[in-house]
Amino acid sequence: MTVRLHWFLPTGGDGRTLVDRHAYGPGPTGVGGTRGTATAAGVRAPDLGYLAQIAKAAEQLGFEAVLTPTGTWCEDAWLTTVALAQYTERLKFLVAFRPGVISPTLAAQMAATYQRLTGGRLLLNVVTGGDSAEQRRFGDHLDHDQRYARTDEFLSVVRGVWTGQPYDFDGCHYRVEGGLTALPPAPVPPLFFGGSSPAAGPVAARHADVYLTWGEPPAQVKEKIDWIRSLAEREGREVRFGVRLHTISRDSARDAWAVAHRLLDDLDADTIAAAQSALGRSESVGQQRMLALHGGSRDDLEIHPNLWAGVGLVRGGAGTALVGSHGEVADLIEEYHALGVEHFVLSGYPHLEEAYWFGEGVIPELAARGLVEPVRGRRVPLEVAGGR
């Protein structure tokens, strides 16, 4: 089992800080996809030119795919990535989408079309949703456990219509008669799926190709792997595993931690308190586990050697970062890999520069250990030559 590396596309905006880095987001003009007011210098809008730079860098550096998020605070992942496919040749796109806001038969058809248009470069990230307020913006009023029950049915229909034969389904949330994707996707895109609640586990076991967890310390990740693996065995299935992390990698550990501390210095007490209050209302069990790693405090944020929880003070979702020298970051990746983690979905602020720090520093370390294939014939694009 080799390490498979993926990067992130900041389709809500990017920047050099953990706060105010979104060009689209909550606020007087931010909700509903309207361009928000940036209060921090250096916020980068998620226009096609900038996102194409990140996508091309990721491809040249040796990342297999890029994750694109879903939500009212960012651009639509399907449309953005199919446009970016025209700027890349091999890079795959891990498209996040919400089952509750689209017909399963239409989603199956869209995936099949996507595969034909891009030459088979689609991966799917199923986001059931842990924030009821965000779900209501999409017109979805189901509660947490009902959303997972609907996702279970949704994915049953998607896989059913991908067979190329008429498919009937009669469930609590969907009734489909003769559902069909006349030209099924080739290849069928792998399904990435996450969720830490009792309602999520069985759905992952029945449908996920890759179970994706946020970057908890290795011992806690192992507990999740053992949990999902045992549930999948009862279903007669095998599931692979991935972890979602940020990264700050530099030529020396001192330099890497200096960057982490600078990001922390940008956060005042009021900003952290407001973020923690909002995140604390989330129904997501995974989000509550992220919050428990730091408890809202700036103290003791290195929760495992070279694993830093500072990002989660203000950011929802993935809240931990690999921090250290290139060798130290590679060590921690190797530690997760030894537990059974195959896919690493990574990001960093700003995403263009951090892709290069990781790609030119950590990937050669991993290649030297036989964990990834060496990247051959890599070229540095003119727009970032001479700086990281």
Side-chain angles (χ1 to χ4, degrees):
M1 179 181 69
T2 59
V3 167
R4 302 177 70 171
L5 298 170
H6 313 282
W7 197 242
F8 183 83
L9 280 174
T11 55
D14 199 8
R16 298 178 179 274
T17 175
L18 297 178
V19 293
D20 291 326
R21 69 187 186 282
H22 287 115
Y24 299 91
T29 59
V31 173
T34 304
R35 183 66 58 97
T37 301
T39 59
V43 171
R44 302 175 188 177
D47 58 50
L48 193 59
Y50 180 60
L51 295 176
Q53 286 187 56
I54 297 173
K56 289 189 288 186
E59 181 172 72
Q60 291 160 352
L61 290 165
F63 291 96
E64 178 179 341
V66 285
L67 170 65
T68 310
T70 178
T72 54
W73 51 271
C74 61
E75 300 286 21
D76 176 75
W78 294 93
L79 295 175
T80 302
T81 56
V82 81
L84 290 170
Q86 312 308 306
Y87 292 83
T88 53
E89 298 176 0
R90 303 174 307 281
L91 187 69
K92 297 178 182 179
F93 297 94
L94 180 50
V95 173
F97 74 102
R98 297 173 188 261
V101 300
I102 188 174
S103 152
T105 305
L106 177 59
Q109 181 186 37
M110 290 167 62
T113 301
Y114 196 113
Q115 290 295 62
R116 286 189 290 277
L117 292 177
T118 65
R121 291 196 274 155
L122 176 65
L123 314 173
L124 289 174
N125 181 31
V126 180
V127 179
T128 300
D131 182 347
S132 288
E134 171 75 354
Q135 293 298 124
R136 287 193 294 270
R137 294 183 190 121
F138 286 103
D140 178 15
H141 292 265
L142 295 185
D143 66 24
H144 177 277
D145 288 2
Q146 288 176 321
R147 291 195 294 268
Y148 276 102
R150 180 181 58 197
T151 294
D152 194 359
E153 293 188 9
F154 181 99
L155 294 177
S156 295
V157 174
V158 167
R159 291 207 185 272
V161 301
W162 275 344
T163 64
Q165 301 297 321
Y167 178 79
D168 295 337
F169 184 87
D170 189 358
C172 294
H173 300 279
Y174 297 104
R175 292 181 62 188
V176 175
E177 297 179 6
L180 179 67
T181 299
L183 294 175
V188 171
L191 297 179
F192 287 63
F193 181 93
S196 300
S197 69
V203 182
R206 281 189 286 271
H207 298 288
D209 296 300
V210 178
Y211 176 79
L212 189 62
T213 181
W214 288 326
E216 298 177 19
Q220 295 179 32
V221 169
K222 183 180 185 303
E223 291 175 358
K224 280 191 173 180
I225 289 175
D226 292 344
W227 171 50
I228 296 297
R229 186 172 278 153
S230 66
L231 291 176
E233 287 174 355
R234 297 177 200 172
E235 300 285 342
R237 300 185 68 245
E238 291 185 6
V239 176
R240 302 189 300 278
F241 297 93
V243 64
R244 173 78 178 92
L245 290 154
H246 305 281
T247 177
I248 303 172
S249 171
R250 293 295 185 270
D251 296 335
S252 72
R254 182 181 63 183
D255 289 347
W257 284 108
V259 174
H261 295 151
R262 180 188 62 76
L263 290 172
L264 199 61
D265 288 343
D266 288 341
L267 308 179
D268 59 39
D270 290 342
T271 298
I272 293 174
Q276 292 298 295
S277 176
L279 295 172
R281 293 191 293 271
S282 173
E283 298 171 316
S284 166
V285 174
Q287 180 63 73
Q288 298 308 316
R289 290 170 68 105
M290 282 281 102
L291 295 178
L293 295 177
H294 52 69
S297 172
R298 295 170 178 264
D299 302 326
D300 302 321
L301 288 172
E302 190 177 5
I303 57 175
H304 181 83
N306 301 106
L307 183 65
W308 183 64
V311 179
L313 290 174
V314 292
R315 185 196 192 279
T320 53
L322 308 170
V323 182
S325 68
H326 305 309
E328 288 172 337
V329 169
D331 288 343
L332 189 47
I333 288 174
E334 192 167 9
E335 185 175 352
Y336 282 114
H337 181 256
L339 301 177
V341 176
E342 180 179 356
H343 294 264
F344 291 80
V345 184
L346 306 170
S347 56
Y349 304 108
H351 288 76
L352 181 60
E353 289 90 327
E354 287 298 334
Y356 272 93
W357 278 112
F358 186 92
E360 295 177 342
V362 181
I363 290 180
E365 287 273 354
L366 296 172
R369 304 177 193 198
L371 295 175
V372 300
E373 292 293 327
V375 181
R376 304 185 186 280
R378 183 170 61 209
R379 295 182 296 105
V380 179
L382 292 176
E383 56 262 34
V384 296
R388 290 175 169 173

